[in-house]
Amino acid sequence: MTGGECRPVADVLAHLAGRWRVEREVRDLTSGDVGHFTGVTVFSALAGGGLLHEESGIFTWRGVSRPATRTLRFLPGSVPGTADVRFADGRPFHPLDLTTGRYVAEHPCAADLYRGEFTVRDAGRWRSVWRVGGPAKDLVLTTDYVREG
């Protein structure tokens, strides 16, 4: 996506609320293996503010398909309209500010570095691209979200 395809979002939590169809490609740059995740992500209201992000679907890697889930918490950020993304156990993951329609986040994890780019295409489509690099990982995870309903 180019910068011209970005759609500014005044309030990331209001924008994300609801149900999204998810398609993810996981590419291992070292081995050349490519995996796919297909499922849904539901952003539902949390008591006290924010959203609970619950993702579920099927992940296929090296010909084997299995159920996969992920839970995150999107809490109100320090600046109105932004979010503070946290893992299910409350540990910090990354901030998220889509007021320009695009945001880049970084998350160090042990010896690896996760660098994510988030881009909003329109009211019903957005994308995240995570580049994961480190001694044991060299991955690109591209996820497209399409609003359902």
Side-chain angles (χ1 to χ4, degrees), residues 31-32 34 42 44 72 77 92 98 107 114 130-131 135 144:
S31 70
V34 178
V42 177
S44 55
L72 299 169
L98 294 174
H107 174 77
Y114 287 65
W130 283 97
R131 176 77 166 83
D144 288 303

Side-chain angles (χ1 to χ4, degrees), residues 16-101:
L16 294 177
R19 183 179 173 96
W20 299 82
R21 188 173 61 248
V22 179
E23 296 286 336
R24 177 175 301 122
E25 177 187 90
V26 178
R27 183 172 298 275
D28 185 324
L29 300 178
T30 301
S31 70
D33 290 332
V34 178
H36 296 279
F37 173 87
T38 301
V40 296
T41 294
V42 177
F43 289 90
S44 55
L46 277 170
L51 298 171
L52 181 64
H53 162 284
E54 295 178 290
E55 180 178 277
S56 61
I58 301 295
F59 181 56
T60 303
W61 183 253
R62 296 180 177 158
V64 178
S65 296
R66 61 183 57 124
T69 62
R70 177 172 68 159
T71 302
L72 299 169
R73 296 180 184 283
F74 283 59
L75 304 178
S78 58
V79 175
T82 67
D84 175 21
V85 183
R86 297 188 168 259
F87 293 104
D89 64 7
R91 288 178 298 123
F93 189 8
H94 63 84
L96 184 59
D97 178 352
L98 294 174
T99 54
T100 66

